[in-house]
Amino acid sequence: QEQEQEQKQEQEQEQEQEQEQEQEQAVLTKFRWSFAGKEVFVTGTFDNWTVSLPMVKEENSSIFVAALSIDRSKEIEFKFVVDGIWCYAADLPYRTDSHGNINNIFHALP
């Protein structure tokens, strides 16, 4: 029983260390949609494609923005959902994934 408790404590410590490392690598990242739209969201690998981040239109501008702290130690693929239609921004870096979808990308930071 003592061994089991020790193993549980070790696992909990490992999980805490992993969470701390992820938080340390998080960088405030700004997303920008500079095309037409009334309602714009951004989604991607950072939220498992759940369309969780609404964007806000900048004052006196047609540009939508959103900022989120995300782990930039690895590549982040993302898309915009504009008035219900999934889009990529041609003015930002993008690539075609293995399924033929075109996604915008933030490359990993060194």
Side-chain angles (χ1 to χ4, degrees):
Q1 219 173 13
E2 281 182 39
Q3 259 186 330
E4 285 178 19
Q5 284 179 337
E6 285 177 22
Q7 286 177 337
K8 276 186 182 180
Q9 284 177 339
E10 285 177 23
Q11 287 175 341
E12 287 172 3
Q13 286 174 344
E14 286 175 14
Q15 287 174 343
E16 285 175 13
Q17 287 173 348
E18 286 174 14
Q19 288 173 348
E20 285 173 11
Q21 286 175 347
E22 283 178 16
Q23 288 173 353
E24 287 173 12
Q25 294 168 341
V27 175
L28 186 63
T29 304
K30 188 174 182 179
F31 296 89
R32 178 180 49 84
W33 175 257
S34 55
F35 303 99
K38 292 180 181 164
E39 184 179 50
V40 182
F41 291 81
V42 65
T43 189
T45 53
F46 61 87
D47 70 350
N48 203 25
W49 303 99
T50 60
V51 192
S52 67
L53 187 60
M55 301 186 78
V56 178
K57 200 174 208 178
E58 287 185 330
E59 266 188 62
N60 305 318
S61 169
S62 61
I63 296 173
F64 286 83
V65 293
L68 181 67
S69 288
I70 54 176
D71 180 0
R72 293 293 305 275
S73 67
K74 54 188 174 235
E75 289 186 337
I76 303 292
E77 288 191 35
F78 61 98
K79 278 188 125 145
F80 300 91
V81 182
V82 182
D83 300 330
I85 300 169
W86 290 60
C87 309
Y88 72 97
D91 62 337
L92 299 174
Y94 61 89
R95 72 170 177 208
T96 304
D97 70 13
S98 59
H99 303 289
N101 301 307
I102 301 173
N103 298 322
N104 289 109
I105 185 164
F106 283 135
H107 295 285
L109 296 176

